[in-house]
Amino acid sequence: MKVYKTVKGLQNHIAKLKKSKKRIGYVPTLGALHDGHMSLIHKSNEQCDITVCSIFVNPTQFNEKSDLSKYPRTFDADSKLLKENNCDVLFFPDVKQIYPKDVDTRVKIDFGKLDSVMEGAHRPGHFDGVAQVVKRLLDIVKPHELVMGQKDFQQVAIIRHMLSALKMKTKLVIGPTVREDHGLAMSSRNERLSKKLRQEAAIINKTLLWVKDNVKKYDVPTLEKKAIKKMNLPKFKPEYFEIADGITLQPIKTIGRKKYVVACTAVWAGKVRLIDNCVLIDKL
Ligand code: AMP
């Protein structure tokens, strides 16, 4: 596995690969890698000749400074895991490489209502930061395929919108959420949970699955209320539980004949904020 810390070094290497007609898949991450990330590396390996992964803890997407400073940084373990999983290229830039003073990296597109709900409503500026870093990284890597996880459902919707609004050629590929044995969605943040809370956090996925099983039995507001109640355990504080149209992400009042419906939630487990989602209806 080749490791590059500079844009120039990476771009020289990628230019050579492109000359020899290699198809390039790209997995952007914040590091502290786990099997969820590795499933995306595998997906890229299956579909492309070369897999590029980046590790960059992007300051512009953290609305809480303490969340940024507490974000785990585990480069040695990450690069070992990537090597073992046949990643070809690791890009590990510093902030100056991604945000040089002479390049305006801001993304000025209108996300409509996509970023005013759920994570967008609770984490002001978060998706501006996500769009900014993904656009910048795509401009650097110029991959054929961008591989992202359904774990961050709204993030996927934002990036899909950006790729289309900016007429970017990269194809977006989505991988399913990988979970721990008891159902908790894998996340770098899980490392910050105590053993006990980590076990108890299985309630989030359990609740999502309960909602899926009961989607015909109750109306939407009742499902949401019952879901919040189920997750209201000691030390757990649900921030939102929203049943929404899977494309527009706007909250819905009834399922009716909707073809694509998702339930998304954010829950505080102690001092750690966890997000998860479940597609309730998919007739697309
Ligand atoms: P992050 O490092 O948290 O920014 O995640 C990098 C990529 O990995 C994003 O596309 C995430 O959606 C994806 N990802 C994170 N956790 C999981 C998971 N448990 N299963 C599948 N993909 C994931």
Side-chain angles (χ1 to χ4, degrees):
M1 183 174 76
K2 299 227 181 270
V3 182
Y4 293 98
K5 289 187 171 183
T6 65
V7 171
K8 234 185 184 163
L10 178 78
Q11 283 185 323
N12 284 340
H13 183 59
I14 287 186
K16 275 188 220 145
L17 293 168
K18 284 202 164 168
K19 252 194 186 154
S20 50
K21 301 275 182 234
K22 299 287 187 206
R23 187 165 180 85
I24 295 174
Y26 173 45
V27 181
T29 80
L30 301 177
L33 302 179
H34 49 67
D35 286 353
H37 298 111
M38 290 312 114
S39 70
L40 305 182
I41 299 290
H42 299 160
K43 211 172 190 55
S44 170
N45 280 344
E46 278 161 26
Q47 297 183 195
C48 299
D49 304 308
I50 296 289
T51 293
V52 179
C53 177
S54 62
I55 295 177
F56 179 61
V57 184
N58 172 38
T60 70
Q61 74 189 70
F62 284 83
N63 50 324
E64 297 272 348
K65 276 209 179 99
S66 65
D67 196 20
L68 172 63
S69 61
K70 277 189 215 150
Y71 207 84
R73 285 150 169 96
T74 55
F75 179 79
D76 291 344
D78 290 352
S79 75
K80 184 167 175 269
L81 199 57
L82 286 168
K83 252 188 235 162
E84 287 166 2
N85 285 273
N86 302 319
C87 177
D88 301 288
V89 180
L90 168 56
F91 182 40
F92 181 54
D94 64 12
V95 174
K96 278 191 198 140
Q97 289 290 315
I98 298 301
Y99 301 126
K101 283 205 178 89
D102 54 343
V103 182
D104 184 0
T105 55
R106 285 168 303 173
V107 170
K108 294 161 200 132
I109 56 174
D110 183 8
F111 289 104
K113 290 180 182 169
L114 274 184
D115 70 344
S116 62
V117 292
M118 302 192 288
E119 289 303 284
H122 289 87
R123 301 184 66 188
H126 170 64
F127 286 123
D128 290 331
V130 168
Q132 178 184 29
V133 78
V134 174
K135 168 74 168 51
R136 170 77 176 136
L137 287 165
L138 287 176
D139 285 345
I140 295 168
V141 180
K142 295 194 175 64
H144 298 92
E145 300 192 13
L146 169 65
V147 189
M148 301 186 93
Q150 190 201 300
K151 156 84 174 23
D152 297 275
F153 196 92
Q154 192 170 10
Q155 172 168 283
V156 167
I158 293 280
I159 298 304
R160 185 183 289 123
H161 178 87
M162 180 181 84
L163 292 174
S164 147
L166 299 177
K167 299 189 170 58
M168 295 175 81
K169 288 201 183 109
T170 301
K171 178 183 166 196
L172 182 59
V173 176
I174 310 304
T177 303
V178 177
R179 299 179 179 280
E180 297 187 2
D181 288 344
H182 63 306
L184 175 65
M186 285 191 179
S187 163
S188 313
R189 289 193 166 87
N190 295 356
E191 301 297 324
R192 285 168 47 204
L193 295 168
S194 67
K195 220 174 170 185
K196 188 161 177 269
L197 274 191
R198 194 160 170 165
Q199 282 300 321
E200 289 173 359
I203 188 67
I204 301 170
N205 181 50
K206 268 195 197 131
T207 302
L208 285 162
L209 292 177
W210 179 88
V211 168
K212 188 172 173 143
D213 284 345
N214 287 277
V215 78
K216 290 204 176 116
K217 191 163 167 195
Y218 300 105
D219 60 20
V220 168
T222 307
L223 284 169
E224 290 174 342
K225 249 185 254 154
K226 284 185 181 285
I228 294 270
K229 209 168 158 201
K230 278 179 189 292
M231 297 191 294
N232 223 336
L233 303 176
K235 302 227 169 138
F236 282 80
K237 224 169 77 193
E239 196 167 80
Y240 65 79
F241 187 100
E242 213 146 280
I243 296 178
D245 180 292
I247 304 289
T248 66
L249 302 188
Q250 299 312 294
I252 57 173
K253 293 237 160 57
T254 54
I255 303 271
R257 289 189 189 172
K258 296 227 159 37
K259 290 202 164 102
Y260 195 43
V261 176
V262 64
C264 297
T265 189
V267 180
W268 286 92
K271 288 188 177 147
V272 182
R273 188 174 182 278
L274 302 170
I275 60 168
D276 202 351
N277 65 79
C278 177
V279 172
L280 304 180
I281 298 195
D282 184 358
K283 295 185 193 158
L284 288 181

